[in-house]
């Protein structure tokens, strides 16, 4: 990108694609029937989030209560309550992505991982977040790309 017009065109394209992606995922989350209650997965996601806040407090040498107050919370339960909707939403998204991957035979194999990270070394990311989380992100991208092949924004 070498001009303001090129930058504006790129930004407009990215915003349109983002809107398209959000619209499709929101429709899926509202209209899919789930065989398992997404709240079960949401509880796991909430626990991971709480654990990350506990870890952050430890890394900064802070009491957990101080770290929670930084987030505007008094207790771990407050933190869970605040992020519950987002966790349920994410659980639905992950469940849908996994179902579509299973139905379409899409896998987060070595080739998909390398494509996602554009050939960059992602070892540190896997070490930090865990292979399960990273593969779920790759699956989400695979599904999003597939869905966008058929989606249009009106």
């Amino acid at each position: 990108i070498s001009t303001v017009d090129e930058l504006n065109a790129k930004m407009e394209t990215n915003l349109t694609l983002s809107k398209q992606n959000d619209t499709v995922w929101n429709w899926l989350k509202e209209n899919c029937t789930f065989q398992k209650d997404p709240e079960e997965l949401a509880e796991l996601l909430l626990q991971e989030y709480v654990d990350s806040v506990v870890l952050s407090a430890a890394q900064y040498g802070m009491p957990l209560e101080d770290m929670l107050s930084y987030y505007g919370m008094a207790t771990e339960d407050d933190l869970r309550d605040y992020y519950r909707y987002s966790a349920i939403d994410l659980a639905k998204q992950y469940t849908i992505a996994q179902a579509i991957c299973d139905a379409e035979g899409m896998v987060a194999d070595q080739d998909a991982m390398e494509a996602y990270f554009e050939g960059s070394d992602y070892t540190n990311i896997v070490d930090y977040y865990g292979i399960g989380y990273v593969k779920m992100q790759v699956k989400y991208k695979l599904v999003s790309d597939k869905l966008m092949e058929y989606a249009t924004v009106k």
Side-chain angles (χ1 to χ4, degrees), residues 36-52:
K36 256 183 124 173
D37 186 354
E39 290 201 31
E40 290 178 33
L41 177 55
E43 283 303 318
L44 293 173
L45 294 170
L46 281 169
Q47 187 58 51
E48 283 182 9
Y49 189 71
V50 168
D51 291 347
S52 74

Side-chain angles (χ1 to χ4, degrees), residues 18-28 152-153:
S18 179
K19 178 182 176 186
Q20 195 172 10
N21 189 57
D22 290 348
T23 300
V24 169
W25 278 104
N26 287 337
W27 186 90
L28 287 169
T152 56
V153 175

Side-chain angles (χ1 to χ4, degrees), residues 25 93-103 106 136 139 143:
W25 278 104
Q93 200 164 296
Y94 283 173
T95 303
I96 293 165
Q98 184 63 55
I100 292 172
C101 281
D102 291 348
M106 294 186 278
M136 195 65 243
K139 288 178 181 181
V143 170

Side-chain angles (χ1 to χ4, degrees), residues 38-94:
E39 290 201 31
E40 290 178 33
L41 177 55
E43 283 303 318
L44 293 173
L45 294 170
L46 281 169
Q47 187 58 51
E48 283 182 9
Y49 189 71
V50 168
D51 291 347
S52 74
V53 172
V54 170
L55 180 62
S56 291
Q59 288 174 333
Y60 287 109
M62 297 173 67
L64 179 58
E65 295 75 24
D66 291 350
M67 180 62 79
L68 289 170
S69 71
Y70 175 76
Y71 287 96
M73 313 289 166
T75 66
E76 285 184 31
D77 286 340
D78 292 342
L79 191 66
R80 287 175 180 280
D81 291 343
Y82 183 80
Y83 286 103
R84 185 167 310 283
Y85 174 80
S86 295
I88 292 168
D89 192 62
L90 189 58
K92 287 179 180 181
Q93 200 164 296
Y94 283 173

Side-chain angles (χ1 to χ4, degrees), residues 83-149:
Y83 286 103
R84 185 167 310 283
Y85 174 80
S86 295
I88 292 168
D89 192 62
L90 189 58
K92 287 179 180 181
Q93 200 164 296
Y94 283 173
T95 303
I96 293 165
Q98 184 63 55
I100 292 172
C101 281
D102 291 348
E104 295 294 320
M106 294 186 278
V107 293
D109 59 11
Q110 190 69 28
D111 291 338
M113 301 274 282
E114 287 177 9
Y116 180 83
F117 288 101
E118 299 175 347
S120 297
D121 181 20
Y122 52 89
T123 308
N124 289 340
I125 296 169
V126 170
D127 289 345
Y128 186 80
Y129 291 102
I131 192 67
Y133 175 82
V134 172
K135 283 190 172 192
M136 195 65 243
Q137 296 306 306
V138 172
K139 288 178 181 181
Y140 173 77
K141 176 78 166 101
L142 290 170
V143 170
S144 288
D145 290 348
K146 186 75 164 174
L147 292 171
M148 292 309 101
E149 289 176 20

